[in-house]
Each structure stands twice: as C-alpha cells, then as structure tokens.
Amino acid sequence: MKARTFFETIEEILLQSLKDELDLTPKPGCVDGRDSGPHADMDYDVFLRSISSLKGYFFEIMEVSNRKNTFDDTFEAIRPIGMKYEEMMYEATGGINTHKGAIFTLGVIASAIGKLYYDNKYITIDLISEYVKKLCANIFDDFNKKEMQDSNGMRIYQNNANHSGIRYEAYHGFKTALDAYDFYKKTKDFLRTYVYIISTLDDTTTINRVGESGLNFSKTYAKKVLDSENFDEEIEAMDKVYTEKNISTGGCADTIELVYFFKRMDDFLDSYMNDFLYNKEERWGIITKAIQDSNKPIITLNLNIKGMHKDKDEFEPIYKAAKMYLSSYECIYEDEDNYSAIYLAKGEAIDEKKKFVHLEEEHDFMRFVDIDVIDTNLKPISRTELGYAKRTCIVCGGDRFTCMREERHTQEDFNASLNAALLNLDK
C-alpha cells in the first residue's frame, strides 16, 4: 500500500479508536455516551469537537516518521506536531483538556507505524510496541532539563514517583494496554476490559483527583465488580459511585483507546493479508485463462522485495526498468499500483526462461525482480532444471533459502542492498 493511502487508513483507525472510547457506556470515572460522570466541565459534544480537531495529526506524525532518522531524532521531530495539535484541541474545546493523554499515547503509536513503514517491516502489535520502546527510550531525560524543574509535568512526576504514569507506560511499550488487550481477547467484552484496566493501572489522574486512598479504593472496587456474578448491575452502581466520589479514570480511558486500536489494527492487518492472498489467486486465474485461450506460455513480472509493502513509491524505478525488457511482449494484465504484470510469451517457455535468467545475472537491480515463465501445462520453469544455479541471497550472495530460514539478515540489511541498487540503477 502506498504511503499516503496507508497513513490515511491508519489515521482513520486511530480516530475511530478515540470515538470507540467515548461511546463505551457506562464508563465509571469518565465522560461516556450517557453522561459526563465526575467531569462537570465536559460533555459528549466537547469530546466530539476534540476528536475532530485531531484530524490530520496522526497522518502528519506518520509522514515525519517515515524517514531515515534515529529513534531519538524522530521523537524530537514529532514533539512540535503534538504541541501544535494540543493547542488546536484546546481551541476546539474552549480550553478543556479532553485528549492531551491520547495526543501523546496515540501519537507515539503513529510514529512507530511511520517508522515501521519506512523500514518496510511486517507490522504486528508486538512490533509496534517494540518501536514505541525505542522511540521513548530517553523519555525521562526531560526531567533533567532546567526549564522542567518547576513545570506542572515535573510536579505530577514527583508526586506520583511510586506509580507508572504515562511516560512509564510508553517507556515499556504500553505493556499495561497489551495485557488489557489479552484480557479483551479472552472476554470479548470492552466494558469488562475497562474495569480490568481500572483494577490494575496506577492511574495518575485518579491520584491527582482523589489521592492515594482514592486510587486504592478505585482498584479494589473494580476488582470486586469484575468478580461479581451480576456484572451489568454492578458496573451501573460503580458508575454512580465514581461520580459521587469525584473519581476520574482518565488514564484508564487512554489505555482502553489503545485496546480499541489494537483490535482494529489486528482486524485491518488480517484484511490486508486476505486481500493479498485474494489478489494472488485472482492473478493465477488470469494466467490459467490466458494459457487456455492462447496456448502460449506466460511471463509474470513482480518485485522481489522483502517486507510488508512491495508497492512503495521508491520501488517504481526498478519496476519500470524491468518492464523495458518486456516492452516487445503483449501485456494482458497490469496492476501498476502494486508493480505487477502478466505477458504472453513469444517463444517456447524454456527459451524465454533462459533469456530472463541471463538478464537477472547481468544487471544488479534485477536481483529485486521476479520474472517467472509458466509453460502451457501451468508449470513454472525453474532455473535449476535448466542447469543454472539457484538465485543467491540479495544481501550476502549465499544460499538465500538458508539465509531466510536462519534469519541471517535484518530488514535493515535488505534495505541497504536495495538502496544501493536504486542508486546504481542508471549507471
């Protein structure tokens, strides 16, 4: 998927996760679809305006992160973007802090995804968490800065030194949210998951509102509700108690937003892979029909790119260069967005395969291209059955299947070889 389309899709998922959290009802300690809970200065419509003000934020974060920068440099690059959208949030809400925590938590999630896209790695929830850890490895260094000594952030950090807080959660790759997602996968119940988060998280917004004793009360109460045989009744009572006792669970809201995101992201990744497999089957159907109709071998052109996204803009020069060697063939199908094409062969399958093996050996960039020949019996012609050596590893020149099986090279190693090929393409 191209960067713009991919980032737009992820931003929609992130924004929808904010809406999911808002709509979760009843939500003890927070604004929900029914009432404002203990937050008299906020309501549902204020949160909707706040969410609308963040449109474009996550896209901007991912764009800035989709570059060859260190994790530290990337984190510094996204800071001013977060500050800009924080101001936009305050403008939209009339000065009310609705999503300051989410601007940070989902912002670093978006940054991790932007870097993963640049590195072209197959995205998983666990890998996003690992990238968040790298982005936030030095997150506590802020408190060593002189200008932070008298800040509100420092006061909150010092007052809650015995508790995790948002920086601690990010530093550990949002492990609490990952644990909550595991809980959700067992229960398939977001309300129960929210109560589970309340029972486990040292929510600093709770502490700042009702102190240590209030936090202990909140966590104990949540555990009692989770263990209850009448959960639906108990959570309704819990919602009223938290409003009466002025208990805020804002940090838990930030955490359930992450759980919603993880779920939606997993669903998207499943759909993404299903579409990939479907497209592969569709192309095979085109090949089969073309051979039946023409009684000629087929030539397929695809990119030999390691990673989740084989259609990135920077790969286009390699695809176009390879297409030049097929310009005299009749193209019967092309997916330009995904750099894939199918051609009718002009000669015998074996002769065509020999021709393209020669091109693969002659040009360095052709290591990143797969030109396959399929005979009229629907059998792909291999290099080895014609007496040629197997294709070697792109990175080291050794046996590529051994390198793949033993994971001898990182995605960064592959990217370095690819970048070198792109630089030498016109030479």
Side-chain angles (χ1 to χ4, degrees):
M1 193 177 286
K2 297 286 195 295
R4 171 168 287 279
T5 303
F6 184 70
F7 294 162
E8 286 174 346
T9 301
I10 300 303
E11 175 163 89
E12 287 178 11
I13 292 172
L14 288 161
L15 290 171
Q16 186 57 54
S17 300
L18 292 173
K19 180 68 163 47
D20 291 334
E21 178 273 316
L22 177 60
D23 287 335
L24 185 65
T25 304
K27 194 162 65 264
C30 277
V31 176
D32 57 28
R34 186 169 61 192
D35 57 44
S36 298
H39 299 278
D41 59 335
M42 305 176 186
D43 60 27
Y44 187 88
D45 289 339
V46 168
F47 270 84
L48 285 181
R49 293 201 301 273
S50 178
I51 293 171
S52 294
S53 75
L54 298 181
K55 186 165 179 58
Y57 169 55
F58 302 115
F59 183 92
E60 212 170 312
I61 289 283
M62 286 182 279
E63 252 194 343
V64 167
S65 304
N66 181 30
R67 296 173 187 170
K68 188 179 181 180
N69 281 331
T70 65
F71 283 94
D72 285 349
D73 288 344
T74 299
F75 189 80
E76 291 304 315
I78 67 174
R79 274 181 188 268
I81 302 173
M83 294 168 67
K84 178 179 74 173
Y85 277 88
E86 190 176 305
E87 290 180 8
M88 292 168 66
M89 174 200 72
Y90 281 124
E91 287 177 12
T93 62
I96 299 171
N97 174 13
T98 44
H99 285 115
K100 188 173 179 179
I103 288 173
F104 173 76
T105 57
L106 298 185
V108 293
I109 288 283
S111 182
I113 291 171
K115 284 197 71 64
L116 282 164
Y117 185 90
Y118 180 82
D119 291 342
N120 203 20
K121 292 189 175 181
Y122 286 98
I123 295 177
T124 64
I125 301 303
D126 286 341
L127 194 51
I128 292 172
S129 173
E130 289 303 312
Y131 267 51
V132 167
K133 288 180 188 177
K134 293 176 181 178
L135 282 165
C136 299
N138 300 311
I139 198 168
F140 293 106
D141 290 355
D142 280 350
F143 295 121
N144 295 324
K145 298 176 182 177
K146 185 178 180 181
E147 61 269 24
M148 287 289 290
Q149 297 309 304
D150 297 322
S151 69
N152 189 51
M154 174 61 88
R155 179 187 62 78
I156 293 173
Y157 174 65
Q158 290 174 331
N159 288 347
N160 302 313
N162 295 326
H163 304 286
S164 58
I166 197 168
R167 289 173 184 259
Y168 180 93
E169 294 295 330
Y171 182 82
H172 290 279
F174 298 122
K175 186 179 184 305
T176 299
L178 291 173
D179 291 343
Y181 185 40
D182 287 339
F183 181 89
Y184 167 78
K185 286 188 281 190
K186 294 174 185 174
T187 62
K188 306 297 182 186
D189 188 325
F190 281 108
L191 269 179
R192 286 182 183 274
T193 303
Y194 192 74
V195 177
Y196 168 79
I197 293 168
I198 296 174
S199 74
T200 57
L201 180 68
D202 285 353
D203 191 334
T204 54
T205 62
T206 303
I207 298 171
N208 291 327
R209 179 75 73 100
V210 292
E212 293 274 352
S213 62
L215 174 68
N216 292 333
F217 170 85
S218 176
K219 292 173 75 172
T220 301
Y221 195 121
K223 289 173 184 174
K224 183 192 80 171
V225 172
L226 272 182
D227 294 337
S228 170
E229 293 181 359
N230 300 305
F231 178 82
D232 292 343
E233 293 180 14
E234 290 293 337
I235 193 172
E236 291 288 352
M238 181 182 182
D239 191 41
K240 292 176 183 177
V241 168
Y242 276 50
T243 299
E244 291 168 359
K245 290 185 173 291
N246 199 34
I247 298 173
S248 172
T249 56
C252 298
D254 292 334
T255 306
I256 198 69
E257 285 161 0
L258 288 168
V259 176
Y260 273 115
F261 167 74
F262 294 154
K263 174 64 169 65
R264 286 186 174 275
M265 191 67 186
D266 268 344
D267 289 346
F268 164 72
L269 292 170
D270 286 345
S271 174
Y272 186 93
M273 292 309 298
N274 287 336
D275 287 346
F276 173 79
L277 294 173
Y278 173 80
N279 290 336
K280 197 171 182 180
E281 290 178 6
E282 185 180 38
R283 285 195 296 271
W284 185 250
I286 293 170
I287 291 168
T288 301
K289 187 175 186 307
I291 289 175
Q292 290 172 347
D293 291 346
S294 67
N295 198 33
K296 291 182 179 180
I298 290 294
I299 300 165
T300 64
L301 169 63
N302 296 284
L303 293 189
N304 178 27
I305 300 293
K306 179 183 179 182
M308 180 174 176
H309 304 280
K310 304 180 189 302
D311 58 352
K312 295 172 75 172
D313 290 333
E314 53 263 44
F315 303 156
E316 186 175 14
I318 286 180
Y319 176 69
K320 286 187 172 180
K323 273 180 64 177
M324 292 293 293
Y325 295 110
L326 289 154
S327 59
S328 63
Y329 291 83
E330 180 185 350
C331 181
I332 60 172
Y333 168 86
E334 182 174 22
D335 182 351
E336 290 184 330
D337 289 337
N338 291 299
Y339 307 139
S340 176
I342 301 172
Y343 300 84
L344 285 179
K346 294 187 290 185
E348 296 296 321
I350 290 177
D351 294 332
E352 297 284 18
K353 183 64 177 179
K354 288 179 179 178
K355 173 184 175 180
F356 292 115
V357 168
H358 175 72
L359 287 172
E360 289 170 357
E361 300 294 330
E362 185 178 359
H363 301 284
D364 188 50
F365 79 89
M366 291 291 285
R367 294 183 302 153
F368 299 92
V369 175
D370 276 331
I371 298 181
D372 293 321
V373 178
I374 301 161
D375 68 19
T376 53
N377 294 315
L378 296 175
K379 177 178 175 293
I381 306 298
S382 71
R383 294 166 60 105
T384 52
E385 67 184 87
L386 300 182
Y388 296 101
K390 296 178 181 178
R391 296 190 80 172
T392 58
C393 171
I394 286 171
V395 176
C396 70
D399 183 87
R400 67 171 180 159
F401 293 108
T402 300
C403 290
M404 289 169 60
R405 184 174 62 253
E406 298 181 0
E407 298 182 343
R408 292 182 177 180
H409 310 295
T410 64
Q411 183 71 45
E412 288 77 11
D413 294 332
F414 178 88
N415 292 346
S417 298
L418 176 59
N419 290 335
L422 286 167
L423 288 172
N424 294 322
L425 194 57
D426 297 325
K427 294 181 181 179

